[in-house]
Amino acid sequence: MYQPDQPDQPDQPDQPDLLDQTTVGQTTVGQMVADYAGGASLAAVGAAHGVPWWIVRSRLRERGVLPRARPGRRYPADPEWWARQLEPRKVDGVWLRGDLARLAERFGVTTQAIRRRLALMGVEHRREAVVPDPHCAPEEFDRWVTTATQPEGDCLRWVFARRPYPYPTVRHDGDQRPVHHLVWARHHGALPPGQEVSHVAGCVHSDCLNPHHLVAMTPRARLDGLVSQGVFPHGDKHWWAKLSHDQAVAILESRASAADEARRMGVSPSTVRAIRSGRRWKHLQR
């Protein structure tokens, strides 16, 4: 279908960036970015526009503007450089990954400042110990244990993160293994079937790697040992306990029915029956 020629339309002016028009106090984000790009500090930009400096920093981050380093601290701007610094390296016979203390000492700042810089640059950081080769010499493995632990009395406590598992773990032979299992295998050989590594009586630290504090036992014996040491909460010290020690004893000594005793104690009849049958509060004398 024929359409007549349309008259030339004048060029439309570029639409302003809506984020530039966002107002903060009596100013706009675009003005803040321009002032900061001109060399003004965060505090100076905030004072000029009547807002706190952290508001300026937040708005700059929304625009993708990376805050400059403080005067006298020249951080490299290349994220790949930071990633290379976090690669595993060997220190005193121990392989460490993501050691921030060395970077903090180099730039004269705290490790928290280095963490913030890594977060701003999008560099992932995870500090962990790297276990030596499974077939390394015993001396190298002992040096690794010495460097990865800190003495506390007779115990050698793990210095790296151990969450969420209560025992410290490392990646070994392609699998996540408890560190005290590796120490046991190095000093005592393979673990007997049906047994697991635990700590001797008197050692209450689950992150202790002293080979003389490790012993192989059955899971039942390990649990009984934890209860006897007071490490494993039981009775009225358990986080789910609804009854006190005296109330549990009263249930055992009572001749009332389970329903009547449950109403008196404020629990369910099944709880009363479980206590009397020995399925709950097993440590009480019956």
Side-chain angles (χ1 to χ4, degrees):
M1 180 177 179
Y2 172 77
Q3 293 183 353
D5 294 337
Q6 299 292 332
D8 294 337
Q9 299 292 334
D11 294 338
Q12 298 293 330
D14 295 337
Q15 296 295 326
D17 191 345
L18 294 180
L19 190 56
D20 283 342
Q21 303 300 320
T22 303
T23 59
V24 180
Q26 301 298 324
T27 185
T28 63
V29 177
Q31 293 172 349
M32 290 184 180
V33 173
D35 293 346
Y36 188 73
S41 64
L42 295 177
V45 174
H49 298 286
V51 294
W53 66 268
W54 58 85
I55 297 295
V56 178
R57 182 183 62 181
S58 177
R59 296 301 178 265
L60 292 177
R61 288 177 177 175
E62 292 176 359
R63 293 300 309 273
V65 178
L66 185 66
R68 296 186 299 268
R70 295 180 181 179
R73 297 171 183 169
R74 299 184 178 276
Y75 295 110
D78 184 10
E80 295 183 359
W81 182 89
W82 291 93
R84 289 194 300 269
Q85 301 305 311
L86 298 177
E87 292 178 352
R89 65 189 187 92
K90 201 170 187 179
V91 179
D92 296 333
V94 179
W95 284 96
L96 297 179
R97 177 185 292 123
D99 188 13
L100 297 186
R102 179 174 57 91
L103 293 174
E105 182 179 359
R106 174 174 180 174
F107 292 104
V109 296
T110 63
T111 56
Q112 189 63 27
I114 298 296
R115 290 180 187 273
R116 289 195 297 266
R117 175 57 48 173
L118 294 176
L120 289 174
M121 305 194 70
V123 178
E124 184 179 0
H125 163 257
R126 182 182 178 187
R127 184 173 187 261
E128 61 180 356
V130 183
V131 182
D133 185 85
H135 307 291
C136 68
E139 296 79 9
E140 182 178 354
F141 188 86
D142 292 340
R143 285 197 304 270
W144 174 78
V145 173
T146 302
T147 308
T149 56
Q150 181 176 1
E152 184 174 325
D154 293 335
C155 297
L156 296 176
R157 302 196 62 181
W158 182 253
V159 298
F160 296 97
R162 58 187 182 99
R163 293 177 298 178
Y165 193 60
Y167 292 95
T169 61
V170 292
R171 183 160 294 278
H172 180 74
D173 264 356
D175 193 14
Q176 201 74 12
R177 296 278 306 279
V179 184
H180 59 293
H181 283 201
L182 301 179
V183 176
W184 168 272
R186 275 287 178 171
H187 288 268
H188 305 285
L191 192 64
Q195 295 189 354
E196 57 186 31
V197 180
S198 184
H199 294 81
V200 298
C203 180
V204 297
H205 301 299
S206 61
D207 56 355
C208 176
L209 299 183
N210 188 337
H212 302 292
H213 289 188
L214 301 179
V215 61
M217 60 179 63
T218 62
R220 180 73 258 178
R222 172 179 170 272
L223 182 59
D224 293 341
L226 293 177
V227 171
S228 62
Q229 297 177 44
V231 178
F232 188 83
H234 67 290
D236 54 1
K237 294 183 176 59
H238 197 275
W239 47 83
W240 287 346
K242 295 183 178 179
L243 298 171
S244 65
H245 178 82
D246 295 338
Q247 288 176 324
V249 173
I251 290 176
L252 286 177
E253 297 175 350
S254 174
R255 300 279 184 179
S257 65
D260 294 340
E261 195 66 25
R263 281 193 296 269
R264 189 170 71 89
M265 294 295 180
V267 295
S268 64
S270 60
T271 300
V272 176
R273 288 191 290 267
I275 294 175
R276 290 176 174 176
S277 63
R279 290 183 289 112
R280 296 289 185 271
W281 294 76
K282 301 178 182 180
H283 60 285
L284 296 180
Q285 296 292 333
R286 288 173 170 79

